[in-house]
Amino acid sequence: MCLHVAQAPRNEHLNMGLLPLCLIFLFLSVSSGEISNSVGVNYGQLGNNLPSPEQSVKLVKSLGAKRVKIYDANPGILDAFKDTNIQVSVMVPNDLIINISNSQKLADSWVESNVVPFYPKTKIRFLLVGNEVISSPPKEIWPRIVPAMRKIRNSLKTHSLNKIKVSTSMAMDLLESTFPPSNGTFRSDIADPIVKPLLQFLNRTKSFYFLDVYPYFTWATNPKTINLDYALFESRNITYTDPDSRLTYTNLFDQLVDSVVFAMKRLGYPDVRIFIAETGWPNAGDIDQIGCNIYNAATYNRNVVKKLTAKPAIGTPARPGWVIPSLIFALYNENQKPGPGTERHFGLLYPNGSYVYGIDLSGKTPDSDFQPLPKPDNNEPYKGKIWCLAAKGANATALSAALSYACSQGNKTCDPIQPGKQCFKPDSLYWHASYAFSSYWSQFKKAGGSCYFNGVATQTAKDPSFGRCKFPSVTL
C-alpha cells in the first residue's frame, strides 16, 4: 500500500503534494542519474593530430568527466566508451535533418545503425538532432528540427530505448534580447514557429533545452562595459540587480542562462530544464582577440565547474537550487576548426594529451593543488598594426588555392605581385600569398573577412614589408 503525503517538500520544480509516497521514491530513483550535477566535456574531432578514441577515453577519465558529447555517432568513439559508465550524447548531423523529418524509415535506419549496436554497453543518454542549426543557413532546415526530433524519438521508443532523451543544441543567438535577464526574449522570426514547438516537445518528453553559453564572447564584445572579473566568476564586490525581477547577479554566466529562462517563460514554458551543452573560455587566439589566454581560461573553467558541481546545487537567481547538467568545451585544441584563432584554442588538452592547465571536472581538487598560471598579457585590446601572412609549412596546394581566392576579391588586391611590380618575387608562393592575404584582410576585415584562409594564414605584428614593397595592414 502507498501512503499519501498531504504536503511534501518541493524537489526542484516538481510539486509532490498529494503524490503517493512510493511514487515519490520511484521518481527520485529514476531521475537522480539523469539530473546529476556532474560535469562532462565536449569531444570534438576537427583536428588532424588528435589521439585515438581509446586514448581519448583515458584522458576523459583523467579529467574527472562523467559525461561526454560527440558531434556525430562515430562508431570508433562509441566502441571506446563501452563499459566506462560515462554518459554519452550523440548527434544527428545537421545535413540529415530535413530527410529524417520527412521519413520515419530513415529515422529508424539511423537509430538502428548508430545507437542500437552500442546501447546499453555504451551509456548513451542523449540524442541531439543537430548542432546550433538556427545559427546558420539554410533556413529551410529550421522548421524541420522538431519533426525530425519526433521521428527519432519514435524510433527510440520502437527499440525500447526509453532512457535516451532527445533534444537539439542552441546558441545564445536565438535571443533578440538578453539584458536585463528578465527581458530575455527569443527572436521574433523564430519564437512562435520554431522555438515554441521545440519547448512543447521538451516539456512533454521531460527532456532538456541544450544551451551553448559563452560569457567570453559577451565580455569580449563589451570589455569596457562588462568587468572581466564578473565574467570569470572572480568578482567579490560587483553585482547587478535586475530592475524588473529584482534578482541580484554576481556573474555573467547566470545572467545569460537566466535570460533564456525568462525567454522560455515568456513563451509559456517556465519549467523546461536547461542542460549546458557548451561553455568554456579560449586559452589563446589571434592578436586582435582580447582576453584569450591560459590564465583566464583556467580561471573561468575552474570556477564554472565549482559552481555547477556544488552540493547542494546552487542553480541561478531565477532557478535557485536547480541542478544544471553541463559540458565544458572542449577536450582538445582542434587545429582544423575554421574561423578566428580562438576557435582552435578552447581545449583543456593539447593534441599530445598534455594539459593546457590543471583542471579537475569533478570539482574536488582545490586550486592550490594546481601549478601556478602564466600571467595574462592580452586582457586589454591590442593597439597597432597587424598583417596577415601565409603560415609557415602550409600545404602548397592549399596555399595556391587561397592565393587565387584572395586575388579574385576586392579592388586590385594583387596588382603589386604581378610580374614587374614592386612586390613580385619569382617562384615565391609564400610571399605572394602573404601579400594577397594582407591586402584582402585590410580591405575586408570590417565586413567580416578573416585572416584564416582554410588554415593556411596567420597574423603577425611584425611588418613584413621589404624594399619598395609595402604590405597593407589592419590598424587597431
Side-chain angles (χ1 to χ4, degrees), residues 346-361:
F346 271 91
L348 302 179
L349 305 175
Y350 293 111
N352 64 8
S354 63
Y355 281 54
V356 178
Y357 46 84
I359 191 163
D360 174 10
L361 298 185

Side-chain angles (χ1 to χ4, degrees), residues 254-426:
D254 283 350
Q255 274 192 226
L256 294 172
V257 173
D258 275 0
S259 69
V260 177
V261 171
F262 280 103
M264 294 194 296
K265 184 177 181 180
R266 196 162 262 111
L267 288 183
Y269 293 92
D271 295 326
V272 172
R273 296 172 294 180
I274 287 177
F275 193 124
I276 303 301
E278 291 182 13
T279 193
W281 196 284
N283 56 64
D286 294 326
I287 295 171
D288 61 339
Q289 294 187 285
I290 185 174
C292 44
N293 55 64
I294 288 176
Y295 183 94
N296 291 348
T299 301
Y300 176 83
N301 282 331
R302 289 173 184 174
N303 285 338
V304 79
V305 167
K306 287 177 198 170
K307 171 188 171 62
L308 293 169
T309 58
K311 293 182 181 179
I314 297 173
T316 65
R319 289 181 169 180
W322 284 45
V323 172
I324 308 174
S326 56
L327 295 153
I328 301 295
F329 189 85
L331 182 57
Y332 299 116
N333 281 349
E334 299 169 60
N335 69 348
Q336 292 182 315
K337 285 202 74 180
T342 48
E343 289 297 305
R344 294 175 288 285
H345 293 92
F346 271 91
L348 302 179
L349 305 175
Y350 293 111
N352 64 8
S354 63
Y355 281 54
V356 178
Y357 46 84
I359 191 163
D360 174 10
L361 298 185
S362 75
K364 296 176 182 177
T365 304
D367 289 355
S368 57
D369 285 7
F370 297 123
Q371 293 293 316
L373 296 168
K375 291 183 178 180
D377 59 3
N378 62 354
N379 283 348
E380 296 294 330
Y382 175 84
K383 293 182 179 179
K385 293 183 177 182
I386 310 176
W387 292 264
C388 181
L389 304 185
K392 296 287 186 182
N395 175 273
T397 302
L399 201 58
S400 181
L403 168 62
S404 297
Y405 171 79
C407 290
S408 69
Q409 307 296 310
N411 182 29
K412 299 181 179 180
T413 302
C414 293
D415 277 12
I417 57 175
Q418 301 307 311
K421 296 296 181 71
Q422 66 269 31
C423 295
F424 177 72
K425 276 195 171 187

Side-chain angles (χ1 to χ4, degrees), residues 21-81:
L21 192 59
C22 59
L23 291 183
I24 293 174
F25 291 129
L26 177 63
F27 172 84
L28 291 173
S29 65
V30 169
S31 301
S32 59
E34 184 183 321
I35 59 171
S36 155
N37 66 347
S38 60
V39 174
V41 66
N42 287 279
Y43 178 179
Q45 302 160 57
L46 295 179
N48 59 9
N49 54 357
L50 302 181
S52 68
E54 292 74 19
Q55 183 62 26
S56 295
V57 169
K58 294 177 183 177
L59 293 167
V60 168
K61 289 180 177 179
S62 76
L63 286 166
K66 301 300 182 185
R67 315 175 189 273
V68 70
K69 184 181 82 187
I70 59 176
Y71 293 83
D72 53 17
N74 184 305
I77 294 176
L78 292 178
D79 262 331
F81 277 100

Side-chain angles (χ1 to χ4, degrees), residues 115-434:
V115 179
V116 173
F118 307 99
Y119 187 90
K121 280 187 167 292
T122 300
K123 199 173 182 179
I124 299 172
R125 282 292 177 266
F126 293 96
L127 204 167
L128 304 180
V129 179
N131 182 54
E132 296 187 350
V133 181
I134 296 175
S135 297
S136 58
K139 291 184 178 181
E140 291 76 20
I141 300 181
W142 300 359
R144 308 313 303 164
I145 300 169
V146 174
M149 290 169 67
R150 291 194 191 105
K151 286 186 169 57
I152 288 291
R153 185 167 184 266
N154 289 340
S155 299
L156 293 171
K157 289 172 68 177
T158 297
H159 290 90
S160 300
L161 302 176
N162 299 317
K163 287 187 177 180
I164 301 177
K165 297 289 186 181
V166 177
S167 189
T168 184
S169 65
M170 297 294 185
M172 288 296 299
D173 60 4
L174 268 67
L175 276 69
E176 63 184 20
S177 173
T178 61
F179 186 81
S182 62
N183 194 43
T185 309
F186 287 108
R187 286 171 14 209
S188 57
D189 63 319
I190 59 173
D192 286 329
I194 296 167
V195 180
K196 202 166 187 177
L198 171 63
L199 295 176
Q200 183 181 38
F201 174 91
L202 299 176
N203 188 60
R204 182 174 59 83
T205 62
K206 297 181 174 57
S207 189
F208 292 76
Y209 184 98
F210 272 66
L211 173 66
D212 296 350
V213 56
Y214 287 96
Y216 167 75
F217 291 115
T218 304
W219 168 78
T221 54
N222 304 277
K224 293 182 179 179
T225 306
I226 302 172
N227 184 279
L228 176 59
D229 284 343
Y230 189 76
L232 294 172
F233 296 91
E234 288 285 287
S235 61
R236 297 293 176 262
N237 53 8
I238 302 170
T239 61
Y240 169 75
T241 299
D242 188 306
D244 296 319
S245 70
R246 305 310 301 169
L247 296 172
T248 297
Y249 291 86
T250 60
N251 63 80
L252 184 56
F253 175 91
D254 283 350
Q255 274 192 226
L256 294 172
V257 173
D258 275 0
S259 69
V260 177
V261 171
F262 280 103
M264 294 194 296
K265 184 177 181 180
R266 196 162 262 111
L267 288 183
Y269 293 92
D271 295 326
V272 172
R273 296 172 294 180
I274 287 177
F275 193 124
I276 303 301
E278 291 182 13
T279 193
W281 196 284
N283 56 64
D286 294 326
I287 295 171
D288 61 339
Q289 294 187 285
I290 185 174
C292 44
N293 55 64
I294 288 176
Y295 183 94
N296 291 348
T299 301
Y300 176 83
N301 282 331
R302 289 173 184 174
N303 285 338
V304 79
V305 167
K306 287 177 198 170
K307 171 188 171 62
L308 293 169
T309 58
K311 293 182 181 179
I314 297 173
T316 65
R319 289 181 169 180
W322 284 45
V323 172
I324 308 174
S326 56
L327 295 153
I328 301 295
F329 189 85
L331 182 57
Y332 299 116
N333 281 349
E334 299 169 60
N335 69 348
Q336 292 182 315
K337 285 202 74 180
T342 48
E343 289 297 305
R344 294 175 288 285
H345 293 92
F346 271 91
L348 302 179
L349 305 175
Y350 293 111
N352 64 8
S354 63
Y355 281 54
V356 178
Y357 46 84
I359 191 163
D360 174 10
L361 298 185
S362 75
K364 296 176 182 177
T365 304
D367 289 355
S368 57
D369 285 7
F370 297 123
Q371 293 293 316
L373 296 168
K375 291 183 178 180
D377 59 3
N378 62 354
N379 283 348
E380 296 294 330
Y382 175 84
K383 293 182 179 179
K385 293 183 177 182
I386 310 176
W387 292 264
C388 181
L389 304 185
K392 296 287 186 182
N395 175 273
T397 302
L399 201 58
S400 181
L403 168 62
S404 297
Y405 171 79
C407 290
S408 69
Q409 307 296 310
N411 182 29
K412 299 181 179 180
T413 302
C414 293
D415 277 12
I417 57 175
Q418 301 307 311
K421 296 296 181 71
Q422 66 269 31
C423 295
F424 177 72
K425 276 195 171 187
D427 303 319
S428 182
L429 176 61
Y430 172 82
W431 279 110
H432 289 170
S434 293

